[in-house]
């Protein structure tokens, strides 16, 4: 092998080494960028997970409130039903009293017996 051939081989090796070093630098930058992107994605995921947990807690709280309201509505419905029944009974007694008073007044007007 001549000196020129050896020099060309060494120049080729140096050129290849420079090319590999440049490629390695580019790959290192891309890996670093991917690592940064991954860290940002992980932070966003942690925030999303925290948001989901908060929403779940709110949903559970609302579910408990809905159950409590359902119990109150049921109790109120029973009370309304009882009051409605009591109102009907009162109406029936008032109607009976009104009929009695009207009958007595009618008898007095018609000359019926007077008590008192």
């Amino acid at each position: 092998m001549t000196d020129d051939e050896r020099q060309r081989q060494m120049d080729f090796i140096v050129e290849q080494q420079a090319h590999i070093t440049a490629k390695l630098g580019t790959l290192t930058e891309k890996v670093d960028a991917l690592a940064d992107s991954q860290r940002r994605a992980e932070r966003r995921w942690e925030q999303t997970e925290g948001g989901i947990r908060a929403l779940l807690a709110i949903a559970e709280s609302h579910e408990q409130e809905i159950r409590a309201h359902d119990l109150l509505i049921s109790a109120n419905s029973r009370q309304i039903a009882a009051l409605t029944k009591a109102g009907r009974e009162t109406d029936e007694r008032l109607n009976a009293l009104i009929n009695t008073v009207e009958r007595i007044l009618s008898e007095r007007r018609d000359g019926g017996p007077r008590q008192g």
Side-chain angles (χ1 to χ4, degrees):
M1 178 181 267
T2 64
D3 286 340
D4 279 346
E5 289 174 340
R6 219 177 284 128
Q7 185 62 43
R8 272 183 274 156
Q9 277 186 339
M10 286 183 357
D11 288 345
F12 177 76
I13 292 170
V14 169
E15 185 180 318
Q16 288 299 311
Q17 185 64 38
H19 181 66
I20 290 171
T21 302
K23 268 274 209 221
L24 185 59
T26 302
L27 288 173
T28 301
E29 289 174 6
K30 288 182 179 181
V31 167
D32 290 344
L34 285 172
D36 287 342
S37 177
Q38 179 66 29
R39 282 191 289 276
R40 285 191 304 273
E42 286 174 4
R43 281 194 297 271
R44 283 192 309 267
W45 176 250
E46 287 171 0
Q47 291 171 347
T48 301
E49 183 182 12
I52 290 170
R53 289 182 189 279
L55 288 173
L56 180 60
I58 290 169
E60 288 172 350
S61 173
H62 285 174
E63 186 176 347
Q64 290 172 353
E65 290 174 3
I66 288 169
R67 282 191 201 126
H69 288 147
D70 284 347
L71 292 174
L72 288 173
I73 289 169
S74 294
N76 287 342
S77 294
R78 286 190 298 274
Q79 290 173 346
I80 289 169
L83 288 172
T84 301
K85 181 181 176 192
R88 276 192 225 116
E89 291 171 356
T90 301
D91 284 348
E92 289 173 8
R93 286 188 300 240
L94 281 173
N95 286 337
L97 177 63
I98 290 168
N99 289 337
T100 302
V101 170
E102 284 178 347
R103 184 177 41 80
I104 292 171
L105 290 175
S106 176
E107 288 174 357
R108 284 189 181 174
R109 266 182 275 159
D110 294 341
R114 291 191 175 182
Q115 296 177 358

